Amino acid sequence: MNTFEQVLELVGEADVAVAYCDLQSGQQFLLRSQQIFHAASTMKVCVLAELYHRFEKGELKLNDLVVVTNEFTSIVDGSPYLLEEGDDSEKSLYGLIGKSVSLYELGRLMIVDSSNLATNLLVAKLGADCIDIFMRDLGIEGISVKRGVEDGVAYRLGLNNTVTAHGLMTLLSKLAVHTIVSEKCSEAMIEILLAQQHRNCIPAKLPRDIKFANKTGWNQGLCHDCAIVYPKDRRPYVLVVLTRGLDEMTEGPELIASISECIYGKTAS
């Protein structure tokens, strides 16, 4: 049984999409890669890309300050909504409401600690439509950014940020070879992703000395991870696994970690 047959066996009947691209050999493995999933926090990579894109264009500086607030407006009717600190992975930003924080720090917190508050502040600053247009300008299909997070009115109407495994694979592949923004800005983005604290999915069963530039995302019944993986002595590969209908704290991470372990065994052999 080859590696990809093993992946198919691991997935079984589960609602899972996989996209793998080896940046050394060019080989790909795609399983339901065009299937649309709620993005959860994987959309935060798109927000980070637009932040550095706008910085590179000279439209903003990374040390520009934003006043921290916790009030946002629904894309449906403009009604206000707040984020719940208890539902957010990152808490410290809530203690800074009314104070100013740099765009760089918001971008870092958004990725490293998956801060929802930082994400919404950046989406409000950059514009969800501009983030979405940038994805189209990059030639990336399968990613749609409509709003920040926790917009309950929009969620109930099905107006969600969505991704496909292929879309995220394309985005991270472009980042890995520095074609989203300049080499310097690409490296800065990758450094932030390398510091991501949520490592229970793609990195979980791999050697501890391997580097990962990854972003997880989870919600009720959803667990995703997308990563640039840097094995030793070779070019990196990109792996995206999106799951739906599995427990996001147990079954989803376990399956993603097992798929990742299988794929890594192929590249390390």
Side-chain angles (χ1 to χ4, degrees):
M1 184 181 296
N2 67 34
T3 301
F4 302 129
E5 289 172 337
Q6 292 172 14
V7 170
L8 289 172
E9 186 173 80
L10 284 169
V11 171
E13 298 300 315
D15 190 358
V16 174
V18 181
Y20 160 77
C21 180
D22 187 339
L23 298 178
Q24 178 161 296
S25 68
Q27 185 178 27
Q28 294 187 2
F29 171 71
L30 305 173
L31 173 65
R32 306 185 190 116
S33 67
Q34 304 290 354
Q35 189 168 320
I36 296 171
F37 285 74
H38 187 296
S41 288
T42 61
M43 56 79 67
K44 294 171 183 177
V45 182
C46 307
V47 181
L48 189 71
E50 174 65 0
L51 174 62
Y52 277 83
H53 171 232
R54 299 275 278 278
F55 164 68
E56 195 162 77
K57 289 172 64 179
E59 295 181 4
L60 51 78
K61 297 178 181 177
L62 294 176
N63 60 2
D64 286 348
L65 297 177
V66 173
V67 176
V68 178
T69 181
N70 185 15
E71 183 171 318
F72 305 97
T73 57
S74 173
I75 62 169
V76 175
D77 56 9
S79 59
Y81 68 94
L82 307 177
L83 301 185
E84 294 293 336
E85 181 178 349
D87 294 335
D88 204 330
S89 298
E90 203 286 322
K91 314 295 185 187
S92 68
L93 197 57
Y94 291 85
L96 298 176
I97 289 174
K99 299 181 180 179
S100 297
V101 176
S102 71
L103 291 174
Y104 168 80
E105 181 63 5
L106 292 177
R108 189 188 72 81
L109 289 172
M110 174 180 66
I111 298 297
V112 173
D113 295 299
S114 206
S115 169
N116 288 340
L117 183 54
T119 302
N120 278 20
L121 291 167
L122 285 171
V123 170
K125 175 72 174 179
L126 301 170
D129 55 340
C130 292
I131 299 166
D132 197 59
I133 288 168
F134 185 45
M135 294 299 103
R136 303 289 83 71
D137 289 346
L138 289 170
I140 297 171
E141 299 179 356
I143 294 178
S144 177
V145 178
K146 291 183 171 68
R147 57 175 176 82
V149 296
E150 304 297 339
D151 181 345
V153 177
Y155 178 79
R156 288 188 288 274
L157 292 175
L159 299 174
N160 299 316
N161 303 315
T162 56
V163 294
T164 64
H166 192 276
L168 287 172
M169 181 192 75
T170 304
L171 177 62
L172 288 185
S173 296
K174 287 178 177 291
L175 176 58
V177 298
H178 302 165
T179 57
I180 289 179
V181 285
S182 68
E183 182 171 357
K184 183 177 180 180
C185 285
S186 296
E187 288 295 338
M189 287 177 60
I190 290 169
E191 283 300 315
I192 291 174
L193 288 161
L194 285 168
Q196 213 250 149
Q197 295 298 299
H198 300 282
R199 303 292 197 184
N200 65 329
C201 293
I202 287 174
K205 296 185 178 183
L206 303 194
R208 297 303 178 192
D209 57 351
I210 300 299
K211 296 196 302 180
F212 306 88
N214 77 303
K215 184 71 199 80
T216 51
W218 66 93
N219 207 329
Q220 187 172 3
L222 297 170
C223 184
H224 310 325
D225 201 3
C226 56
I228 307 169
V229 182
Y230 295 86
K232 291 185 175 180
D233 303 319
R234 75 186 307 281
R235 294 191 71 196
Y237 64 86
V238 172
L239 176 63
V240 180
V241 186
L242 310 177
T243 78
R244 181 165 47 208
L246 302 176
D247 185 276
E248 66 274 12
M249 295 290 106
T250 56
E251 297 171 308
E254 172 63 24
L255 179 55
I256 294 172
S258 296
I259 292 170
S260 174
E261 182 181 37
C262 187
I263 294 288
Y264 177 79
K266 170 182 172 56
T267 65
S269 61

